Each structure stands twice: as C-alpha cells, then as structure tokens.
C-alpha cells in the first residue's frame, strides 16, 4: 500500500508541467483568436468609420419621367371619356366655340369641325415633373435593409387639336385651320415598399440596389380644350342635363381617379457626411398601370432623385 501511494504521488508531480504547458498553449490560441477578431473589427471600422444607425429618415427631391401612354387620356378623341365631341353635340358649347374662333353667330353656313385626317393628337406625352416625398429605412445590418417611401408628382400633358373652318357651299372650298390646345393635369401619389441590398466601399460610399412593389394613385385634376384662350372643361360636370347657359345649374363633383399596382427597381449611392446626416443620389424605374379609363396597360416610368438623410436609433457598436 505504501509503495502504491509513492508511485501515484510521483505520477501526479510529473504531470503538473505538462498540464501547465497545455494551459499556456490554449491560452495563447485564445489570445490569438481575440487578436484576430479585434483586427477584423478594427479593419471593418476603418472601412466604415461611421456607426450603423438602425433607422434612417429622408426627404426626396427629384424629377419624374412618366410614361406617355396614359397622356392620350387628355387628347379629346371620341373614344375617350373626356371627348371634344361632347362639346360639339351641345348647342351652347358649339356656339361659344364658333364665336371664340371668330365665326359670327348669324353665320349658319360656315362649318367648324376637327380635321378628319390628323386633327387629334395621338402621341401626347407628359412634361418632366418635379417629385418630392418622404423615405424611411430600417437597417437589419450593413448589407440588408427594408424601406418604405411615398412620393408625389404633378404631371401635365398638352398638345394641339387641328380645327378646320370652311364654307361647304362655296364654289371653291377653302379651308382655314386653327391649332387649339388640349391640356391635362394630374397628380400621382407613388408608394414603394421593398428590400435593399448594400455594398459598402472603403471610400465610405455605400452602393445599393433596391427592389419592391409600388402603388400608384392617380387623380385627374384638369382636362380642358382651350380655344383662342378660352377654356372648355372636357369633364362632364353637368350630368345628363348638359350645359345650359342662363340657368342656375347644379354641378357635380366628378372624380376620375384610379389605383395601379406594380413593381419597383432602383440603384443609388449612399454618401455619409457625418454620423447623423448623409446624401443619396439615385435612379429608379416603376412598372405599373395608371388604370385611367381606357388605359389599363402596364408601362414603365422613371425617376432621378437626391435624398437628404437623417440617421437615428441604436448603432452596431452597442
């Protein structure tokens, strides 16, 4: 028994240096891993000197290039809900248009019509319009985010209708032509919900791509036919009774509004100015139908913007 105790004591004493050496080795490996992690973190901080904010709020300013497809809603053709024909069929409107064109009220022979060949504009387009709105983004991490934005654009479309004035009973018929404007104005609210993938650069610029769904609300604000400076409303606000001058007529509120749903794609670059403010120039494309009556097709529209950003919330340092 005594011999066994001596042997066990000798083995325990001899194992102490090995255990100490192993502990030192493991401690060195752990310190090395910690050093590597700190090195990676320092490198990431060098590439991204500003801390990541979880919530970003922005103001959008830019230009909107709407598809010209639905601009023909305002051209006054007989196939449209707002048609110049409705003016010709109303005796009071017809008289007023003839007078505006310089045709005497007592002249019952001279004819005033839209030129049969190419009187109506069929290739109308919207002017480039100013766009403004609000932007909200939640950053899951430096490379993945979700965003919600709402923008408003005021659109205007205008072109000319070719009016033909002539005397059908004259031995030799001469035509007098007048170019008179048709004008349409509408407002669009565009709401985008989507996902953003970012690509941080060492230069502190943050490139990104976005994709999502969009909703467009279109409100027709004006659809008029302008004859020698006099405006004629193409929207029928008098209902079945029609326009009757000299009477105290009650008008109706006619809402020619529509919703359209589609897709959104965008690219841009985030430029942080401080840890609380930044700028983002970008470009995007929408693909949706306005769904104005008679114009149901999906068409692409485009926009350019400069976004002013303010950063809020917790950071990745916490």
């Amino acid at each position: 028994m005594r011999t066994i105790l001596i042997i066990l004591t000798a083995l325990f004493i001899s194992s102490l240096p090995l255990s100490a050496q192993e502990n030192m080795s493991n401690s060195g490996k752990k310190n090395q891993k910690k050093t590597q992690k700190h090195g990676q973190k320092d490198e990431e901080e060098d590439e991204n000197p500003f801390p990541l904010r979880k919530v970003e709020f922005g103001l959008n300013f830019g230009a909107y290039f709407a598809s010209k497809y639905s601009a023909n809603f305002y051209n006054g053709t007989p196939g449209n809900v707002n048609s110049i024909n409705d003016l010709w069929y109303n005796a009071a409107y017809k008289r007023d248009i003839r007078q505006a064109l310089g045709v005497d009220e007592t002249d019952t022979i001279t004819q005033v019509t839209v030129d049969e060949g190419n009187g109506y504009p069929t290739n109308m387009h919207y002017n480039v319009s100013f766009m403004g709105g609000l932007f909200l983004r939640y950053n899951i991490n430096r490379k993945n985010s979700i965003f919600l934005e709402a923008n408003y654009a005021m659109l205007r479309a205008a072109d000319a209708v070719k009016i033909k004035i002539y005397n059908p009973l004259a031995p030799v018929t001469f035509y007098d032509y007048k170019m008179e404007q048709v004008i349409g104005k509408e407002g669009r609210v565009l709401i985008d919900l989507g996902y953003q993938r970012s690509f941080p650069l060492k230069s502190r610029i943050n490139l990104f791509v976005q994709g999502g769904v969009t909703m467009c609300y279109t409100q027709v604000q004006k659809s008029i036919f302008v004859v020698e400076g006099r405006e004629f409303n193409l929207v029928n606000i008098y209902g079945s009774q029609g326009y009757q001058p000299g009477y105290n007529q009650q008008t109706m509120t006619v809402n020619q509004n529509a919703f359209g749903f589609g897709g959104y794609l965008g690219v841009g670059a985030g430029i942080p100015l401080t840890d609380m403010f930044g700028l983002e120039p970008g470009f995007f494309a929408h693909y949706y139908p306005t769904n104005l009556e008679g114009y149901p097709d999906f068409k692409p529209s485009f926009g350019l913007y400069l976004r002013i950003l303010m950063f809020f919330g917790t950071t990745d340092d916490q």
Side-chain angles (χ1 to χ4, degrees), residues 78 83-94:
S83 172
I84 292 176
N85 266 3
D86 294 338
L87 303 180
W88 296 136
Y89 295 148
N90 182 286
Y93 276 137
K94 187 174 182 179

Side-chain angles (χ1 to χ4, degrees), residues 33-46:
K33 288 181 180 178
K34 288 182 181 180
T35 303
Q36 289 176 351
K37 288 181 179 179
H38 283 298
Q40 290 176 356
K41 186 175 181 181
D42 291 341
E43 185 178 351
E44 289 177 0
E45 290 176 352
D46 289 340

Side-chain angles (χ1 to χ4, degrees), residues 51 65 69 112 115 123 141 151 175 195 210 218 240 250 256-257 269-270 292 294 297 300 305:
F65 304 84
Y69 168 67
V112 177
D115 186 48
N123 193 30
N141 51 48
N151 293 298
Y175 298 109
Y195 163 77
Q210 296 173 329
T218 302
S240 59
Q250 184 176 359
Q256 295 180 333
N257 307 330
L292 293 175
D297 294 350
Y305 66 85

Side-chain angles (χ1 to χ4, degrees), residues 63-270:
Y64 196 62
F65 304 84
S67 168
K68 67 180 183 179
Y69 168 67
S70 59
N72 282 327
F73 175 84
Y74 304 100
N75 67 6
T77 59
N80 279 342
V81 62
N82 300 334
S83 172
I84 292 176
N85 266 3
D86 294 338
L87 303 180
W88 296 136
Y89 295 148
N90 182 286
Y93 276 137
K94 187 174 182 179
R95 184 192 65 241
D96 291 346
I97 292 173
R98 288 167 63 91
Q99 288 178 351
L101 291 168
V103 179
D104 192 271
E105 187 175 357
T106 61
D107 184 352
T108 59
I109 298 175
T110 300
Q111 299 295 310
V112 177
T113 63
V114 176
D115 186 48
E116 299 87 353
N118 55 354
Y120 291 103
T122 57
N123 193 30
M124 290 184 67
H125 62 275
Y126 295 104
N127 293 344
V128 178
S129 66
F130 171 79
M131 179 192 72
L134 304 176
F135 178 85
L136 183 66
R137 179 166 53 214
Y138 178 78
N139 295 312
I140 302 169
N141 51 48
R142 285 200 182 273
K143 293 186 177 181
N144 299 283
S145 310
I146 54 176
F147 68 90
L148 175 67
E149 66 176 334
N151 293 298
Y152 181 80
M154 176 69 74
L155 305 180
R156 182 181 187 273
D159 212 325
V161 174
K162 189 176 182 181
I163 302 297
K164 182 170 66 174
I165 306 170
Y166 66 99
N167 183 347
L169 301 181
V172 180
T173 303
F174 294 97
Y175 298 109
D176 184 18
Y177 292 101
K178 298 279 189 177
M179 303 301 292
E180 307 296 342
Q181 277 196 316
V182 280
I183 298 173
K185 292 183 179 180
E186 68 183 48
R188 291 191 192 179
V189 177
L190 301 154
I191 299 177
D192 304 312
L193 173 65
Y195 163 77
Q196 174 177 310
R197 178 68 174 180
S198 301
F199 304 92
L201 303 178
K202 292 183 179 180
S203 60
R204 294 192 289 183
I205 294 177
N206 183 48
L207 303 181
F208 61 81
V209 295
Q210 296 173 329
V213 295
T214 189
M215 184 205 75
C216 174
Y217 171 69
T218 302
Q219 180 184 39
V220 175
Q221 299 181 349
K222 181 179 285 190
S223 180
I224 59 174
F225 180 40
V226 184
V227 182
E228 299 300 304
R230 182 171 178 179
E231 294 186 2
F232 295 88
N233 191 359
L234 293 179
V235 180
N236 182 13
I237 59 175
Y238 297 103
S240 59
Q241 62 184 333
Y243 169 59
Q244 300 176 31
Y247 293 90
N248 186 18
Q249 288 183 274
Q250 184 176 359
T251 60
M252 302 182 301
T253 300
V254 179
N255 295 318
Q256 295 180 333
N257 307 330
F259 285 93
F261 297 87
Y264 171 95
L265 288 175
V267 295

